[in-house]
Amino acid sequence: MFIYSKFIERIDLGYNHIAQQSCYCLSQGLRISQSIHYISLEGNPLGNIGIQSVIRAKNDNEFVDFEINLKGSGGQIA
């Protein structure tokens, strides 16, 4: 999986029909990734809970500060 890679810095998962339910697994990986600098989740139906899960993973990551593209992800954060 990408979380153990020391070389993958950019991932484009845009428009892959990643739904809210899949964000838990994705977030677990992002939380401990040491190499990711950018991930695009553009155009996926993540929903509010999915978006919050991914953002929480970004904030919890102690190794890198990565950028997330969430354009058109179907959620609105209050």
Side-chain angles (χ1 to χ4, degrees):
M1 183 173 206
F2 71 87
I3 60 172
Y4 298 112
S5 172
K6 296 182 192 285
F7 305 104
I8 298 175
E9 294 182 358
R10 298 178 63 86
I11 297 176
D12 186 349
L13 297 174
Y15 301 95
N16 276 290
H17 306 288
I18 298 171
Q20 182 171 292
Q21 299 85 347
S22 301
C23 288
Y24 175 77
C25 294
L26 180 62
S27 295
Q28 293 298 88
L30 291 174
R31 187 171 279 113
I32 61 174
S33 173
Q34 296 183 26
S35 65
I36 300 297
H37 293 284
Y38 174 85
I39 183 166
S40 176
L41 296 169
E42 181 176 358
N44 287 295
L46 304 180
N48 289 334
I49 294 172
I51 290 172
Q52 290 172 3
S53 177
V54 171
I55 290 173
R56 199 172 302 118
K58 175 188 178 354
N59 293 336
D60 290 348
N61 187 307
E62 298 176 357
F63 305 105
V64 292
D65 183 22
F66 55 90
E67 180 183 347
I68 307 170
N69 176 357
L70 293 170
K71 293 176 189 169
S73 58
Q76 298 174 6
I77 298 176

